[in-house]
Amino acid sequence: MKIGIYFKRFSRLAAEVALKVAEECSRRNLDVYIERTLIENEDLENKDIVDLMKKYSVGVFKLETPGVDVIAVIGGDGTLLRVFHMLGNPRIPIMAIRMGRRGYLLDVTPMRSQTALKILPRADTRSLST
């Protein structure tokens, strides 16, 4: 299964959770892909974490043409809305990991992300995306 990861660009905490998600995906033999803008952006405050994530990644994906089975979005409602706006294929399931205080649109807390990743390979993503 191919897991794409996108996180709130200027949040250290979101970047750290994204790294843990990448580590857990790798441990579960899931293919990790990092969103292209996180790698290409030289001004990114969390470049050190993105560099660490690269060791778990098998490639890069673009939100406009994702080519992944699921996208893990780590951030707040604004980050999730940004992904929805840029996403080229609206049928791709999204696992939204909440980093903000409210997170009206995000349902998984950072502490529950490992549990969500555990059941993800068993999920029928066709039923999630219809």
Side-chain angles (χ1 to χ4, degrees):
M1 177 174 268
K2 298 177 183 177
I3 309 292
I5 296 178
Y6 182 86
F7 63 88
K8 183 177 180 179
R9 293 169 45 164
F10 300 107
S11 168
R12 183 76 180 178
L13 186 56
E16 290 170 354
V17 170
L19 178 60
K20 288 180 183 175
V21 168
E23 290 170 345
E24 185 66 20
C25 286
S26 178
R27 194 175 73 72
R28 296 183 180 282
N29 295 318
L30 303 173
D31 295 334
V32 176
Y33 292 80
I34 304 171
E35 206 281 326
R36 137 189 98 75
T37 60
L38 298 174
I39 290 176
E40 294 176 356
N41 190 344
E42 294 299 322
D43 297 337
L44 189 65
E45 291 179 19
N46 300 305
K47 191 85 170 137
D48 59 326
I49 292 180
V50 171
D51 289 338
L52 286 172
M53 286 177 68
K54 287 179 186 177
K55 79 177 188 178
Y56 301 106
S57 173
V58 296
V60 175
F61 80 100
K62 298 179 185 180
L63 284 171
E64 298 84 2
T65 55
V68 294
D69 299 312
V70 176
I71 299 174
V73 177
I74 300 108
D77 290 345
T79 304
L80 183 61
L81 291 172
R82 184 175 303 105
V83 168
F84 285 149
H85 177 72
M86 296 171 59
L87 192 58
N89 181 353
R91 293 193 164 278
I92 294 178
I94 293 178
M95 181 177 75
I97 301 172
R98 177 177 64 231
M99 295 307 306
R101 283 171 278 180
R102 293 189 180 98
Y104 295 111
L105 303 174
L106 296 99
D107 52 356
V108 177
T109 63
M111 295 178 83
R112 289 184 37 219
S113 63
Q114 286 187 346
T115 303
L117 286 170
K118 189 183 304 183
I119 64 169
L120 198 56
R122 295 188 307 247
D124 181 359
T125 57
R126 290 172 298 162
S127 66
L128 295 173
S129 62
T130 56

